[in-house]
Amino acid sequence: MTTHIYSGPLSMFGAKVEIAAREKNVPFELVMVPFVEGDAYEPKHPEVLRVNPVKQQVPVLVDDEVSLFDSTQIFEYLEDRYPAPASLALWPQGIAERARARQLEQKSDEVFFPNVIKLFGLQEAMQSPPAIAACAGCARFYEEMEGLLGTREYLAGPYSFADIAFYMAHVFADRKGAGMTSATPRLVAWRDRVGDRPAVRAVVDPMMRFLASQGRGVPAFLQR
């Protein structure tokens, strides 16, 4: 049975899953669900409704008897389902290192990205106190990640799901006015290393082309 990944043209979490599958050389069929103006996914794809009936959101992965939603759960499944070769592992090998990588992936989703979500509704009021606070929250997180990169090339040591998660969250942060600056040079270099990976470009470049086709802004660092 073919593995199917259900995503959308502007789904950050779907992009994370697709990048991970490409990094691990997982054969899959990508299904882009219907997308309409206003960043809405309508009509809902029947497989998305079947697998994720409450939230009705992508990403969804369907693989043989396994059907999953939530990008983190899909990360874990892909690592269990495709453990070899070790060179394509996306969690570190050591128990402590894996724990730290998992925590970083969660912090990207649950600590950093909520600031970005606030900015989605504040694009016409970027000088308002809530927008300034959200941007400051992003900046503090960038400083924290800058510190991690003082002794390593990637956030958790080896390239991992933590890098994929934060890279995509940052892409959306930059789109909404909370990008990186020269204050975090190691983090900017990290962004370039991750962004140059073929699996990342294969996912992010089409997303940026879609944005451009709709007349939306594309982050300067992604204007190929």
Side-chain angles (χ1 to χ4, degrees):
M1 180 177 177
T2 302
T3 299
H4 289 83
I5 294 173
Y6 295 84
S7 187
L10 291 180
S11 172
M12 184 195 85
F13 294 99
K16 288 167 52 178
V17 168
E18 187 186 349
I19 290 169
R22 291 179 180 276
E23 292 282 12
K24 294 185 70 65
N25 290 335
V26 174
F28 67 93
E29 181 177 327
L30 179 66
V31 180
M32 284 292 184
V33 303
F35 179 88
V36 296
E37 187 176 355
D39 292 1
Y41 291 94
E42 300 288 351
K44 301 297 185 182
H45 194 285
E47 276 295 87
V48 174
L49 291 176
R50 180 184 71 83
V51 178
N52 192 5
V54 177
K55 289 191 172 183
Q56 302 181 5
Q57 296 172 341
V58 293
V60 161
L61 180 141
V62 178
D63 182 31
D64 200 8
E65 77 277 10
V66 174
S67 299
L68 296 170
F69 64 92
D70 182 82
S71 58
T72 301
Q73 297 302 313
I74 294 171
F75 281 172
E76 298 288 359
Y77 173 75
L78 290 176
E79 204 68 0
D80 289 340
R81 176 74 171 81
Y82 299 95
S87 61
L88 297 181
L90 288 174
W91 286 130
Q93 293 302 304
I95 293 174
E97 290 77 11
R98 281 202 305 276
R100 284 193 287 268
R102 286 185 169 111
Q103 184 176 63
L104 284 168
E105 194 264 342
Q106 184 192 40
K107 288 177 70 174
S108 177
D109 288 354
E110 304 295 337
V111 176
F112 176 78
F113 197 61
N115 292 302
V116 183
I117 292 174
K118 292 175 185 176
L119 292 173
F120 273 64
L122 294 169
Q123 292 299 286
E124 303 303 320
M126 288 299 286
Q127 297 306 311
S128 66
I132 291 171
C135 289
C138 291
R140 286 193 297 271
F141 199 87
Y142 293 150
E143 291 172 1
E144 180 182 348
M145 297 303 102
E146 175 80 0
L148 289 180
L149 292 166
T151 57
R152 60 190 74 164
E153 286 197 335
Y154 296 104
L155 298 179
Y159 178 73
S160 73
F161 291 117
D163 298 287
I164 296 171
F166 184 49
Y167 182 87
M168 285 310 310
H170 162 65
V171 168
F172 278 70
D174 192 290
R175 285 183 57 214
K176 298 303 176 181
M180 297 173 188
T181 70
S182 58
T184 56
R186 290 191 293 265
L187 193 59
V188 171
W190 164 88
R191 180 186 68 189
D192 293 342
R193 281 194 297 277
V194 175
D196 284 341
R197 296 181 70 90
V200 175
R201 292 198 62 165
V203 177
V204 174
D205 285 0
M207 181 180 282
M208 296 304 108
R209 288 195 293 269
F210 181 82
L211 280 171
S213 74
Q214 292 202 325
R216 304 193 193 190
V218 174
F221 76 94
L222 288 172
Q223 293 175 7
R224 310 290 187 190

